[in-house]
Amino acid sequence: EVRGLSTQQQGSRILRVKVFAGIGLAKKDILGASDPYARVSLYDPINGELTSVQTKTIKKTLDPKWNEEFYFSVHPKQHRLLFEVFDENRLTRDDFLGQVDVPLQYFPTENPDLETPFAFRDFLLLPRSYKSRVKGHLRLKMTYLPNSNGEDDNTEESEESEPSWEILDQQDINVHQQQLPLLPSG
Amino acid sequence: PLSHTIHRTQPWFHGRISRKVAHSTIEKQGPVDGLFLLRDSQSNPKTFVLTLYCQQKIRHFQILPSEDNGQLVFSLDDGNTKFCDLIQLVEFYLLNRGILPCKLKHHCSQVSL
């Protein structure tokens, strides 16, 4: 079974992350509501942050609707995603409104044949220290794109059985010597 | 640090070539939307440039390093989207348009003169 070795970076998958909304966020400003945005960071628990991207700021609300979508090339067993919600302030430091930290290996793979394969999930926003006062949920959807060779239609099962070659690329930066992944069309 | 050199072995990294050479390299291999290369900036040491062909235009995007909680990060959109190295940056913009006119698609191969 050598599928996935040739064109893709070994063991990497494309994760589609949709940040829908914040629900019932904590009120930080005395006057008026917050101006929330979400920061999504892909990180490796050992080597630190790899990529981080920010949604737009939605003005004056505790229930922001971002509806933004990002794609990340990830190693499902190695990487994690951290979502942090902040209240944007012009003059002072942005206020922390809560975080969600998730491992990546349990998300389903999209089935292009199904219309609504998997709905969003509301994640409880958590504090990052004893000082954080947080509240509410973050509505997210995370799914893997089918493997780019286009033939691989059995999905979650193939994720769970651990192919032996996947372990190799965790050892060093050899993974970066591979060719960049070819993108699936569309 | 490693993050300043890790991209050097990548086929899309063309090193210290001028803007003019970057232009002609793209022109020779174009025109395809999403054709790109990365290079060292000649005017600004430690910064990099993404040269991208899209919609009949060649554009250059500065990639600036900065410090983020003591870690070196790279960004081409004022820190809105940050990367620990240029490989992560390229991988991201192969999948996301962000502020670019189009996603990265094909890298220019390096032509030896």
Side-chain angles (χ1 to χ4, degrees):
Chain A
E1 180 64 78
V2 288
R3 190 184 279 171
L5 273 177
S6 52
T7 55
Q8 280 185 289
Q9 257 194 18
Q10 288 180 30
S12 82
R13 306 259 337 244
I14 296 171
L15 183 68
R16 182 209 298 259
V17 176
K18 183 132 189 200
V19 183
F20 287 94
I23 301 153
L25 302 178
K27 190 168 147 66
K28 291 283 161 168
D29 297 350
I30 301 157
L31 304 166
S34 304
D35 301 326
Y37 66 89
R39 176 161 280 284
V40 186
S41 306
L42 175 71
Y43 75 99
D44 180 322
I46 296 156
N47 299 313
E49 197 165 289
L50 302 166
T51 296
S52 87
V53 63
Q54 190 174 313
T55 66
K56 289 186 183 64
T57 300
I58 312 283
K59 296 272 176 197
K60 298 206 185 319
T61 178
L62 297 175
D63 298 285
K65 289 175 182 61
W66 293 293
N67 288 320
E68 286 189 49
E69 195 164 63
F70 306 103
Y71 291 82
F72 296 94
S73 174
V74 307
H75 288 258
K77 296 200 174 89
Q78 196 178 343
H79 295 161
R80 295 175 70 96
L81 275 180
L82 176 66
F83 299 83
E84 295 164 289
V85 182
F86 294 97
D87 170 19
E88 186 178 85
N89 292 317
R90 259 184 299 167
L91 300 174
T92 58
R93 217 175 173 183
D94 294 350
D95 287 311
F96 176 73
L97 296 179
Q99 68 178 32
V100 175
D101 183 0
V102 289
L104 305 184
Q105 72 243 59
Y106 307 113
F107 298 128
T109 299
E110 291 177 20
N111 185 338
D113 301 330
L114 295 178
E115 268 180 42
T116 50
F118 173 65
F120 56 74
R121 237 183 85 190
D122 290 340
F123 291 81
L124 185 67
L125 284 166
L126 296 173
R128 64 180 170 191
S129 77
Y130 69 95
K131 279 189 282 185
S132 326
R133 274 192 318 109
V134 308
K135 150 178 179 326
H137 291 81
L138 190 58
R139 180 163 292 178
L140 303 169
K141 178 177 166 178
M142 286 161 282
T143 48
Y144 285 105
L145 299 194
N147 284 331
S148 60
N149 52 36
E151 295 162 12
D152 197 357
D153 53 354
N154 75 334
T155 51
E156 271 163 286
E157 278 148 33
S158 62
E159 272 304 282
E160 270 154 29
S161 65
E162 301 202 6
S164 54
W165 50 263
E166 238 183 61
I167 293 155
L168 294 174
D169 60 44
Q170 301 185 1
Q171 288 170 356
D172 54 29
I173 57 163
N174 274 344
V175 60
H176 293 314
Q177 314 292 341
Q178 303 294 319
Q179 272 210 320
L180 287 167
L182 294 170
L183 295 183
S185 53
Chain B
L2 186 62
S3 56
H4 255 132
T5 50
I6 195 169
H7 50 271
R8 302 234 162 245
T9 54
Q10 298 297 311
W12 38 256
F13 192 75
H14 288 230
R16 234 179 112 70
I17 59 166
S18 67
R19 193 184 176 95
K20 218 171 139 185
V21 172
H23 254 263
S24 63
T25 308
I26 294 261
E27 267 166 8
K28 269 180 222 153
Q29 287 176 54
V32 194
D33 275 8
L35 188 69
F36 74 97
L37 62 85
L38 273 76
R39 57 189 171 89
D40 289 301
S41 164
Q42 288 199 317
S43 56
N44 197 348
K46 288 196 175 166
T47 74
F48 302 96
V49 181
L50 164 66
T51 302
L52 171 64
Y53 179 87
C54 192
Q55 296 150 2
Q56 285 119 54
K57 258 191 214 149
I58 297 173
R59 279 180 258 207
H60 306 271
F61 299 88
Q62 281 246 32
I63 301 167
L64 299 174
S66 66
E67 282 240 338
D68 186 40
N69 294 321
Q71 205 199 336
L72 187 69
V73 293
F74 300 90
S75 179
L76 54 72
D77 62 3
D78 270 331
N80 196 52
T81 315
K82 296 181 276 200
F83 307 93
C84 68
D85 58 44
L86 298 189
I87 293 172
Q88 293 297 325
L89 181 144
V90 167
E91 282 195 353
F92 184 83
Y93 289 108
L94 281 163
L95 299 169
N96 303 270
R97 219 182 81 174
I99 61 147
L100 301 177
C102 67
K103 284 191 274 191
L104 309 184
K105 207 161 179 193
H106 312 281
H107 66 259
C108 272
S109 48
Q110 291 169 53
V111 193
S112 49
L113 299 168

